[in-house]
Amino acid sequence: MKHILNFPEKFLWGASTASFQVEGGIENCDWAEAAREGRVPVCGAACDHYNRYESDFDIAQKLGHNCHKISIEWARIEPEEGKFDMEAVTHYKNVLNALRARGLEPFVNIWHFTLPLWFSHDGGFLNKKSAARFGRYSEFVAKEILNDVKYVVPINEPEVWVTNGYLRGNWPPFKKNPWKLLIALRNLIKAHKASYYAVKKYHPDALVGPSKDNIYFKATNVNPINQLLAAFMGWWWNRYFLNQTKKETDFIGLNYYFYSPFGPKEELPKTDMGWGIYPEGIYHVLLELGRYHKPVYIMENGLADATDSKRKDFILDHLFQVYRAIQDNVDVKGYLHWSLLDNYEWVFGFERRFGLVEIDFVTQERKIRPSAFVYKHVCETNTIEKEL
Ligand code: BGC
């Protein structure tokens, strides 16, 4: 029988983006430099969202969203150390006004992976001064841009960033050194705290929290080594950063994409990234976050699916698991799909299509994918339907 499942009142529904992945025209950051050196794909004009944000937000509004996550590009705001660009400030203020004018509650991410060149050339987050530098940038953003912004995310996915940059070595700064990974992560923890207090200084009522890249680490048999590995990774990847920043976290942002099995692997349908689709994982990860007794906003959840053949079920199946976690008392207050637009998927360039809206990167034409209308129905009714 079909059941209609209600989400809590005032639940926030929307989508997320990140500056470098959509804006276009950012040449003074580490990823642009790496592209010039031929080490990562060129981002160039991306979705030209820097110029098209108003019409893109028209689409989000039309799709029934009531919130939206952007990130601010550090290299635009502080192109040289301690020198701030007021044109960039005006731009982001206009962006926030454009969101509010369309009834989209903004979530503002202060940093999403890309670093200004002056900062990356001076050791990035290995530098002892890095947390203070990030604090100074955050303070400027708080003072000049964050008026009336309720939700602020200093740092996106700390573990993904340090692992790719300092262990796998496939993202700038292309290092393979676990010791450096640890230093960078420790500095990100300090940077989060510095940013938290900088935001609170100007906006004591703003809610500040990280976007955490939690994974469901699952031991798929009783082998004690697998059990141990799953437990260790849960602590190290999912909870270490949160444990260290508990006091400076008003809410937890969750980015959930997949599970990671220890032991025999289950056969799963795959996204265009090759990631197994495992909706139940979001339920377990949410339950794990329940121990912090903080509100949770799902800040990213989505898939690369160029043909849009799996996105509808992906969304509905994950939302059913979110609903279950809410029934089990996890205080989930919002869901933001990744992403509104197809975008620059880091080392994969523009080939992996995460958008509710398809982008033709030659003509910049936007085309709403069919699954976006299924999600629209969810957003507008605050419900999902489920055969139970
Ligand atoms: C990141 C996004 C990325 C998405 C899909 C997250 O790790 O925050 O920048 O595009 O996953 O891979």
Side-chain angles (χ1 to χ4, degrees):
M1 208 176 111
K2 249 203 186 131
H3 287 256
I4 302 213
L5 308 177
N6 289 293
F7 279 74
E9 258 178 58
K10 300 203 178 130
F11 201 81
L12 291 175
W13 296 104
S16 282
T17 59
S19 50
F20 190 71
Q21 293 178 269
V22 293
E23 286 182 356
I26 302 164
E27 295 300 335
N28 57 344
C29 75
D30 55 348
W31 274 80
E33 179 180 67
R36 285 191 290 273
E37 290 164 358
R39 306 180 88 173
V40 298
V42 172
C43 184
C47 314
D48 193 30
H49 181 70
Y50 195 78
N51 298 308
R52 295 170 196 252
Y53 62 91
E54 288 181 299
S55 46
D56 287 340
F57 297 160
D58 285 343
I59 300 175
Q61 182 187 32
K62 179 171 156 192
L63 290 176
H65 300 187
N66 60 20
C67 70
H68 185 78
K69 180 167 165 239
I70 61 156
S71 77
I72 293 188
E73 187 64 31
W74 188 355
R76 286 195 195 278
I77 298 289
E78 192 179 359
E80 286 175 55
E81 175 158 22
K83 298 219 169 96
F84 297 98
D85 183 334
M86 294 314 283
E87 254 178 56
V89 168
T90 305
H91 170 79
Y92 286 112
K93 281 178 155 169
N94 292 342
V95 167
L96 291 174
N97 289 336
L99 286 173
R100 293 192 187 99
R102 290 161 181 79
L104 298 163
E105 177 76 47
F107 283 77
V108 179
N109 179 194
I110 296 181
W111 176 61
H112 192 122
F113 296 159
T114 45
L115 297 174
L117 285 177
W118 64 265
F119 183 87
S120 67
H121 287 170
D122 196 21
F125 276 105
L126 295 182
N127 192 313
K128 278 200 186 93
K129 296 184 202 152
S130 55
R133 287 171 166 169
F134 189 68
R136 178 183 55 198
Y137 158 60
S138 298
E139 180 160 345
F140 180 82
V141 168
K143 184 161 154 255
E144 298 293 339
I145 302 177
L146 296 183
N147 278 331
D148 298 323
V149 171
K150 201 163 155 195
Y151 304 101
V152 182
V153 179
I155 289 174
N156 178 68
E157 300 197 343
E159 293 76 16
V160 165
W161 188 77
V162 295
T163 303
N164 287 333
Y166 292 100
L167 196 64
R168 285 200 195 108
N170 58 340
W171 284 16
F174 306 105
K175 307 274 186 252
K176 292 186 181 179
N177 181 331
W179 180 241
K180 288 189 172 160
L181 175 152
L182 278 178
I183 297 174
L185 189 65
R186 293 295 308 167
N187 282 333
L188 286 185
I189 289 167
K190 289 185 193 154
H192 171 89
K193 294 183 186 194
S195 187
Y196 180 91
Y197 293 114
V199 173
K200 291 287 178 166
K201 178 170 160 192
Y202 291 92
H203 310 292
D205 295 335
L207 301 174
V208 182
S211 257
K212 276 289 284 107
D213 37 18
N214 287 13
I215 294 171
Y216 176 41
F217 296 103
K218 180 181 180 187
T220 54
N221 62 15
V222 291
N223 179 329
I225 294 175
N226 293 330
Q227 299 280 336
L228 207 72
L229 283 172
F232 172 77
M233 286 307 290
W235 168 77
W236 161 247
W237 187 279
N238 291 350
R239 301 198 301 276
Y240 178 71
F241 186 96
L242 290 174
N243 292 343
Q244 300 290 315
T245 54
K246 242 188 262 173
K247 232 173 67 194
E248 292 85 9
T249 291
D250 302 321
F251 66 84
I252 300 172
L254 169 66
N255 298 359
Y256 173 79
Y257 286 93
F258 45 71
Y259 92 135
S260 171
F262 292 97
K265 288 190 178 53
E266 289 144 85
E267 262 314 308
L268 296 174
K270 294 209 168 27
T271 73
D272 294 350
M273 296 290 277
W275 298 344
I277 300 179
Y278 197 75
E280 204 190 304
I282 199 169
Y283 168 80
H284 293 286
V285 161
L286 284 169
L287 247 53
E288 183 186 23
L289 291 180
R291 68 170 71 192
Y292 293 98
H293 303 291
K294 313 242 182 197
V296 178
Y297 293 86
I298 294 154
M299 298 268 178
E300 289 187 25
N301 172 235
L303 74 168
D305 178 23
T307 57
D308 202 40
S309 55
K310 296 180 180 150
R311 192 170 281 103
K312 163 179 169 281
D313 287 342
F314 181 99
I315 293 175
L316 295 175
D317 293 346
H318 281 77
L319 285 177
F320 175 62
Q321 298 297 334
V322 174
Y323 175 85
R324 281 183 63 212
I326 296 171
Q327 300 317 297
D328 289 343
N329 295 319
V330 185
D331 187 16
V332 187
K333 288 183 172 308
Y335 174 91
L336 289 86
H337 190 75
W338 182 271
S339 178
L340 180 64
L341 311 170
D342 284 343
N343 58 48
Y344 178 78
E345 180 52 32
W346 308 113
V347 289
F348 299 99
F350 292 102
E351 291 315 308
R352 305 295 156 93
R353 305 295 186 128
F354 276 89
L356 293 168
V357 178
E358 181 183 343
I359 307 276
D360 179 327
F361 288 102
V362 177
T363 63
Q364 291 294 350
E365 192 197 339
R366 272 72 173 145
K367 233 191 254 163
I368 299 176
R369 293 201 163 98
S371 59
F373 292 104
V374 175
Y375 182 50
K376 173 183 159 94
H377 182 75
V378 173
C379 302
E380 288 179 345
T381 59
N382 205 31
T383 64
I384 51 169
E385 283 175 23
K386 180 83 187 164
E387 217 43 83
L388 289 173

